[in-house]
């Protein structure tokens, strides 16, 4: 692959395709739910429940992809084209093997996992059917994620975006055919949605594999991948495993806080869901900037351009904070009309409006963590964000959410104040860590190159 092209990309050029790709993932998830809701509410619930389990699996696939993206970006910056190609191949093969193991587990013990999740009896059949098909072929997604991470690290973020667009279009067409029985197709409901998902992913895998070979400026050493694993897997896992730990800690803390919200009643839980759906579109910009910045800083660290890396992170953080504040401002101005899209319940609209006002404080704080943690990760400084994250997520977010929301009866507003305290505390610690520049000593690339 041509690393020099990637190195010259601006933050905007590398970020906007990532933004479109994440936006499409979000919109298509909503489209799936909307289309399936025309078929059956039970089916929506079954797929939603199963996707909670599959989302944990996706996080587990993500740790290899995340580690690969950082090590490849650093190798490109260091002009080690051969090392970058070797890391890409090792990561693809490692995640394929891991994906096959998890797919087999979901296929064999899927119904057991669903029982552990207390799946209602009336949803069990459809949930199990969906899990057998989508979970059984989830190894396809593990490979797509890894190849996508590699291609983005080279700077070809538009390639990954086009593949995502194609997969989502195919998925919607497949859903339409199997849910509504168009053009003589059988009406298969949940089973049809699962088949559509797997088929679109399979075609996406074929295309993204083709793009990987097309973009490669040197032959990819798949034939010697087994020999290369001991050489590069350590640096990939050194980045990936702590990153996965941070994501799992966040997911765990959010599950506990969701339990607190259930104590406040069904209306509070519904308000949280609707408000969070709107908030996702606010912090989407900061997520995209964070991912784009990670690629650029990885290149700069590889080239040992530490001053450029330092300034790029600060500049990206400034952009992300301003955009997050402006987007939160727009959402709070139009809070009632936005919430009215989901519901006409006056209590939910009233409480949701208060929460959207609080996002004016929450989202700028969140931008620190989305951008600076990505920058620290790109430099190989992964342990500090995880340790600080676990302390703050559980010590501040969960503890304060219970105290303010439940004990002092501030309800959802109290829980949102806990979120604000957590994001700002972690964010300011991350900024202090970046300014200390300890990350300059955390270079990840193994400069010893193997010979095929």
């Amino acid at each position: 692959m041509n690393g020099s092209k990637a190195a010259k990309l601006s933050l905007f050029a590398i970020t906007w395709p990532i933004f479109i790709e994440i936006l499409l993932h979000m919109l298509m998830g909503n489209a799936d739910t909307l289309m399936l809701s025309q078929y059956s509410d039970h089916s929506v619930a079954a797929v939603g429940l199963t996707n909670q389990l599959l989302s944990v699996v996706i996080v587990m696939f993500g740790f290899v992809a995340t580690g690969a993206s950082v090590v490849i970006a650093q190798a490109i910056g260091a002009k080690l084209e051969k090392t970058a190609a070797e890391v890409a191949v090792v990561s693809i093969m490692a995640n394929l093997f891991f994906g096959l193991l998890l797919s087999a587990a979901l296929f064999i013990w899927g119904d057991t996992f669903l029982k552990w999740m207390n799946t209602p009896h009336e949803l069990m059949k459809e949930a199990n059917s969906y899990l057998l098909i989508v979970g059984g072929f989830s190894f396809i997604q593990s490979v797509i994620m890894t190849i996508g991470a590699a291609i983005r690290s080279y700077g070809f973020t538009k390639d990954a975006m086009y593949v995502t667009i194609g997969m989502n279009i195919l998925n919607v067409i497949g859903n339409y055919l199997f849910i509504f029985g168009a053009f003589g197709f059988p009406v298969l409901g949940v089973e049809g949605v699962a088949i559509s998902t797997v088929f679109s992913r399979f075609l996406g895998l074929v295309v993204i594999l083709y793009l990987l070979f097309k973009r490669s400026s040197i032959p990819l050493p798949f034939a010697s991948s087994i020999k290369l694993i001991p050489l590069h897997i350590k640096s990939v896992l050194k980045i990936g495993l702590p990153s996965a730990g941070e994501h799992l800690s966040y997911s765990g803390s959010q599950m506990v806080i969701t339990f607190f919200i259930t104590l406040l009643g069904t209306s509070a839980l519904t308000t949280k869901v609707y408000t969070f759906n709107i908030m996702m579109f606010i912090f989407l910009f900061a997520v995209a900037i964070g991912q784009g910045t990670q690629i650029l800083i990885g290149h700069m660290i590889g080239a040992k351009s530490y001053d450029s890396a330092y300034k790029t992170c600060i500049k990206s953080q400034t952009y992300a904070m301003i955009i997050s504040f402006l987007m939160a401002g727009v959402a709070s101005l139009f809070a009632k009309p936005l919430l009215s899209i989901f519901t006409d319940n006056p209590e939910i609209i009233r409480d949701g409006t208060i929460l959207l006002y609080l996002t004016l404080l929450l989202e700028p704080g969140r931008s620190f963590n989305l951008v600076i943690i990505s920058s620290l990760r790109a430099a190989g400084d992964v342990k500090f964000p995880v340790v600080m994250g676990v302390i703050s997520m559980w010590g501040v977010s969960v503890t304060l959410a219970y105290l303010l929301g439940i004990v002092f009866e501030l309800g959802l507003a109290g829980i949102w104040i806990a979120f604000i305290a957590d994001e700002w505390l972690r964010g300011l610690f991350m900024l202090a860590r970046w300014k200390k520049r300890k990350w300059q000593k955390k270079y990840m690339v193994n400069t010893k190159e193997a010979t095929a």
Side-chain angles (χ1 to χ4, degrees), residues 60-61 64-65 88-104 136-147 205 209 222 225-226 229 233:
M60 293 172 79
F61 292 153
V64 173
V89 166
V90 164
S91 303
I92 291 164
M93 298 309 292
N95 231 9
L96 172 61
F97 176 72
F98 186 48
L100 286 167
L101 282 180
L102 283 180
S103 293
F137 286 93
S138 58
F139 67 90
I140 296 174
Q141 185 66 7
S142 74
V143 180
I144 290 174
M145 285 173 68
T146 316
I147 297 174
L205 175 60
L209 257 174
F222 277 100
S225 57
I226 302 298
I229 286 175
I233 197 68

Side-chain angles (χ1 to χ4, degrees), residues 81-158:
E81 287 281 324
K82 190 163 171 283
T83 298
E86 288 175 0
V87 172
V89 166
V90 164
S91 303
I92 291 164
M93 298 309 292
N95 231 9
L96 172 61
F97 176 72
F98 186 48
L100 286 167
L101 282 180
L102 283 180
S103 293
L106 290 171
F107 189 81
I108 296 165
W109 298 297
D111 57 341
T112 306
F113 295 141
L114 289 169
K115 284 172 187 170
W116 286 350
M117 293 174 71
N118 291 323
T119 304
H121 178 72
E122 65 272 17
L123 302 181
M124 195 67 183
K125 186 181 176 184
E126 286 187 318
N128 195 38
S129 173
Y130 186 83
L131 187 60
L132 282 176
I133 298 170
V134 177
F137 286 93
S138 58
F139 67 90
I140 296 174
Q141 185 66 7
S142 74
V143 180
I144 290 174
M145 285 173 68
T146 316
I147 297 174
I151 286 176
R152 282 187 213 98
S153 293
Y154 278 97
F156 299 110
T157 50
K158 281 194 273 192

Side-chain angles (χ1 to χ4, degrees), residues 358-413:
L358 287 170
T359 60
L360 282 164
L361 291 172
L362 174 60
E363 293 310 327
R366 193 198 304 272
S367 71
F368 280 91
N369 294 302
L370 291 171
V371 175
I372 301 178
I373 289 177
S374 293
S375 301
L376 288 167
R377 188 184 298 135
D381 191 357
V382 285
K383 288 182 183 175
F384 179 80
V386 177
V387 172
M388 190 62 222
V390 170
I391 292 169
S392 185
M393 288 169 198
W394 294 91
V396 177
S397 191
V398 171
T399 306
L400 268 185
Y402 182 73
L403 286 173
L404 297 176
I406 309 300
V407 177
F408 295 115
E409 298 181 352
L410 293 176
L412 283 173

Side-chain angles (χ1 to χ4, degrees), residues 142-443:
S142 74
V143 180
I144 290 174
M145 285 173 68
T146 316
I147 297 174
I151 286 176
R152 282 187 213 98
S153 293
Y154 278 97
F156 299 110
T157 50
K158 281 194 273 192
D159 285 2
M161 178 191 73
Y162 291 140
V163 171
T164 300
I165 290 171
M167 282 166 56
N168 284 326
I169 290 170
L170 282 171
N171 193 31
V172 168
I173 292 170
N175 286 352
Y176 176 73
L177 296 175
F178 286 122
I179 291 171
F180 302 109
F183 305 111
F185 274 75
V187 177
L188 296 178
V190 165
E191 200 174 293
V193 169
I195 292 168
S196 172
T197 299
V198 171
F199 181 71
S200 62
R201 283 180 181 175
F202 176 74
L203 287 182
L205 175 60
V206 172
V207 174
I208 206 165
L209 257 174
Y210 165 75
L211 289 170
L212 180 69
F213 283 103
K214 184 186 173 188
R215 293 298 191 188
S216 181
S217 59
I218 60 171
L220 293 166
F222 277 100
S224 54
S225 57
I226 302 298
K227 187 172 71 175
L228 293 170
I229 286 175
L231 188 66
H232 296 298
I233 197 68
K234 185 181 175 184
S235 17
V236 170
L237 296 181
K238 203 168 179 181
I239 295 286
L241 285 172
S243 300
E246 185 195 340
H247 286 301
L248 288 171
S249 174
Y250 180 77
S251 298
S253 67
Q254 288 300 304
M255 284 172 69
V256 172
I257 290 169
T258 301
F259 170 72
F260 296 160
I261 293 171
T262 61
L263 300 177
L264 299 172
T266 305
S267 176
L269 189 60
T270 309
T271 304
K272 185 254 185 185
V273 171
Y274 291 155
T275 307
F276 200 76
N277 279 342
I278 295 167
M279 284 169 57
M280 283 195 299
F281 289 96
I282 300 173
F283 64 72
L284 171 60
F285 291 90
V287 171
I289 291 170
Q291 289 189 15
T293 302
Q294 178 175 299
I295 293 167
L296 290 176
I297 287 180
H299 291 180
M300 292 167 186
I301 295 293
K304 294 188 167 50
S305 301
Y306 298 125
D307 287 340
S308 296
Y310 180 83
K311 290 171 188 171
T312 298
C313 172
I314 300 299
K315 185 168 72 173
S316 294
Q317 167 53 33
T318 305
Y319 290 152
M321 190 160 69
I322 291 168
I323 293 170
S324 296
F325 181 75
L326 291 174
M327 290 299 296
V330 171
S332 60
L333 278 174
F334 297 99
K336 288 179 182 176
L338 286 170
L339 289 161
S340 297
I341 294 169
F342 299 98
T343 182
D344 55 6
N345 184 318
E347 183 187 348
I348 292 174
I349 292 172
R350 183 198 69 216
D351 292 346
T353 300
I354 293 167
L355 299 184
L356 286 175
Y357 287 154
L358 287 170
T359 60
L360 282 164
L361 291 172
L362 174 60
E363 293 310 327
R366 193 198 304 272
S367 71
F368 280 91
N369 294 302
L370 291 171
V371 175
I372 301 178
I373 289 177
S374 293
S375 301
L376 288 167
R377 188 184 298 135
D381 191 357
V382 285
K383 288 182 183 175
F384 179 80
V386 177
V387 172
M388 190 62 222
V390 170
I391 292 169
S392 185
M393 288 169 198
W394 294 91
V396 177
S397 191
V398 171
T399 306
L400 268 185
Y402 182 73
L403 286 173
L404 297 176
I406 309 300
V407 177
F408 295 115
E409 298 181 352
L410 293 176
L412 283 173
I415 289 170
W416 247 245
I417 291 167
F419 290 157
I420 292 166
D422 166 46
E423 294 289 357
W424 274 100
L425 178 70
R426 268 192 299 142
L428 291 173
F429 268 97
M430 296 307 147
L431 180 62
R433 178 75 171 188
W434 185 256
K435 287 190 169 181
K436 284 180 183 174
R437 298 173 76 134
K438 288 185 179 179
W439 43 268
Q440 291 184 190
K441 303 171 186 174
K442 307 279 185 178
Y443 189 69

